[in-house]
Amino acid sequence: MSAEESERSRLPFEPNKKRQKPAKAQSKPAAKPQESTKQAEKKARYTKQEMAIPQVVSQRMIRRVAGFCGVPTALGISALVVSYLLATYSDIQLPPIAVLLVNMGLFGLGVLGITYGVLSASWDEEKVGSLLGLGEFNTNWGRMVEVWRETRQKNS
C-alpha cells in the first residue's frame, strides 16, 4: 500500500490496484507502435466490473434518492394543484409570489435531495446505514472533499 492510499481511506468497492499511466512517447520517431506498449495499456485499464458500483449499493442509493427527492417534488406539484383549486373553486386568492416561492423551495429541496440521497447511502456493501444517513453523509462527503483536494494538488 502506498503512502497516498494509507492517508486516504479507500472506498469499499474501490479496486485494490492502482491504474498505471501509459508510457510516454519517446523522442525517436517510431513507424509502428510497439506491441508491448499496446498490451501494457490494455492491462492497465480496469474492467467494467471493477469500476461499477455494486448492485446492493446502487439500489440503496436509488431508494434514498427516491425518498429525499421524490417527497419534496411531489409536495411541490401538490402545492401547485392546491393553489389552482383554491383559486378556481373558492374565494381564496393566494399571492402568486407566495406560490412561486413555495414551489421554488420545494423543487430546490428535491434537487438537493438527489445529492443527499446518493451521499447519505452507505457505500459499504455489508453495512445498511441509518434511516436519515447523517453519519454516512459525513463519511462520504469527507471522502469526496479529500479526493477533490488530491486532484487539485496533482493538477497544480
Side-chain angles (χ1 to χ4, degrees):
M1 196 179 269
S2 69
E4 288 181 14
E5 285 183 2
S6 62
E7 290 176 14
R8 177 175 72 85
S9 63
R10 292 179 348 97
L11 293 174
F13 50 87
E14 186 174 10
N16 290 331
K17 56 186 175 183
K18 284 282 192 177
R19 181 180 297 186
Q20 297 175 356
K21 293 183 179 179
K24 292 186 176 182
Q26 296 177 354
S27 60
K28 62 180 181 178
K32 281 186 176 180
Q34 297 176 353
E35 291 293 327
S36 61
T37 307
K38 284 184 178 179
Q39 290 173 352
E41 286 181 15
K42 286 182 182 178
K43 289 180 183 178
R45 296 187 180 171
Y46 295 128
T47 64
K48 284 186 178 181
Q49 189 175 15
E50 289 175 325
M51 294 296 293
I53 297 172
Q55 187 70 24
V56 175
V57 176
S58 176
Q59 292 298 320
R60 191 178 301 142
M61 288 178 180
I62 290 171
R63 282 192 305 270
R64 286 188 171 269
V65 167
F68 287 114
C69 174
V71 171
T73 303
L75 287 174
I77 293 169
S78 300
L80 281 173
V81 171
V82 168
S83 67
Y84 171 76
L85 292 174
L86 285 173
T88 305
Y89 295 112
S90 70
D91 292 333
I92 301 173
Q93 289 290 326
L94 298 174
I97 191 72
V99 175
L100 174 72
L101 291 176
V102 166
N103 279 291
M104 283 178 57
L106 289 170
F107 288 133
L109 281 175
V111 170
L112 291 175
I114 296 170
T115 303
Y116 186 78
V118 170
L119 292 176
S120 68
S122 173
W123 292 354
D124 188 0
E125 291 181 71
E126 285 79 34
K127 184 180 171 191
V128 177
S130 63
L131 182 64
L132 292 178
L134 292 173
E136 290 82 6
F137 178 81
N138 288 334
T139 301
N140 296 334
W141 182 262
R143 287 175 178 159
M144 200 168 63
V145 168
E146 198 170 318
V147 169
W148 284 342
R149 288 181 183 155
E150 286 177 13
T151 305
R152 184 187 296 161
Q153 288 175 355
K154 287 179 184 177
N155 292 336
S156 296

